Every structure is written in structure tokens, then in C-alpha cells.
Amino acid sequence: QVQLVESGGGLVQPGGSLRLACSVFGIGSNFRVYTMRWYRQAPGKQRDLVADISRAGEVDYADAVKGRFIISRDFIKNTLLLQMNSLKSEDTAVYYCNADVGGGIDPPTNYWGQGTQVTVSA
């Protein structure tokens, strides 16, 4: 029932910017979205954590993106954003949204989006 949907990926030149978004569907007002995360996976590589943000607004970034990417969230709309600046070819990957979602007394469940392709190339 719960579904995460990413958007905003595409082709961008080195040094350019993109903004990714992740929307959470299929939850009622009694549900809470806890920690949300962005992962990425380049061809032939493992899936790596890019950034995460807690329900308290605390953020963490991978060293490779620190100073260039900004993670944020809208607690009312249950959306996750990733502003990507000064993009490099090394940032090329499929970017995945990940979130812990719980309802009422139920323990949180982890969910994944389908991913959105980001290609940085001249």
C-alpha cells in the first residue's frame, strides 16, 4: 500500500544542478514518516547512502557529496528533496528514495522507491 515515488532525474552537464523529489503515497494521517534517505547506485557498483534526514531534522551526508548536496523534507506533504549542485560525472547513478514508515502502534517498516536516473555528462 505504501509507495515511494522519485522524480526529477535526468541529464545534466557537469557543474549543473538537479533537484530530486520523493513523494510518499498510500498512508493516512495516523501514519508517520520517520527517517528518510537518498541512496544511489552506479552501474557495477553497490548501492551507497548519499544523505539522510531524521524526523527531528538532523541531516548527514556522504563525504563525496558534502558541501554540494542539500537534503530536506516537507513534514506536511511527506516529501523528500535532494538539491544537487556542482554535479560531477561521478554523481551519475540511479538515485533511490528510502523511508521508515509506521502507523499507530505498529513498528516502522522500511520502503524503497523505484529509483530515478541521474546522468551527468557533457
Side-chain angles (χ1 to χ4, degrees):
Q1 192 84 337
V2 176
Q3 186 179 12
L4 308 183
V5 180
E6 302 96 337
S7 62
L11 175 64
V12 65
Q13 293 182 328
S17 298
L18 279 177
R19 180 163 53 246
L20 305 183
C22 170
S23 298
V24 182
F25 297 97
I27 63 173
S29 60
N30 60 319
F31 283 77
R32 283 187 172 89
V33 181
Y34 298 98
T35 299
M36 303 188 76
R37 310 168 185 88
W38 285 105
Y39 284 80
R40 68 184 183 185
Q41 187 169 23
K45 302 280 189 176
Q46 67 179 27
R47 188 173 299 184
D48 294 324
L49 180 65
V50 176
D52 62 73
I53 181 168
S54 73
R55 189 167 176 82
E58 300 172 336
V59 300
D60 288 295
Y61 298 95
D63 289 340
V65 307
K66 191 172 297 182
R68 298 188 297 121
F69 291 10
I70 302 172
I71 188 171
S72 61
R73 64 191 291 178
D74 186 322
F75 289 92
I76 303 301
K77 297 180 178 179
N78 287 324
T79 57
L80 177 71
L81 301 174
L82 184 67
Q83 178 66 46
M84 305 185 294
N85 302 314
S86 301
L87 283 162
K88 308 173 181 178
S89 60
E90 308 94 89
D91 297 316
T92 296
V94 176
Y95 284 71
Y96 296 91
C97 179
N98 176 274
D100 298 323
V101 182
I105 63 172
D106 295 331
T109 301
N110 189 253
Y111 295 91
W112 289 92
Q114 290 295 109
T116 184
Q117 177 71 50
V118 172
T119 302
V120 185
S121 176

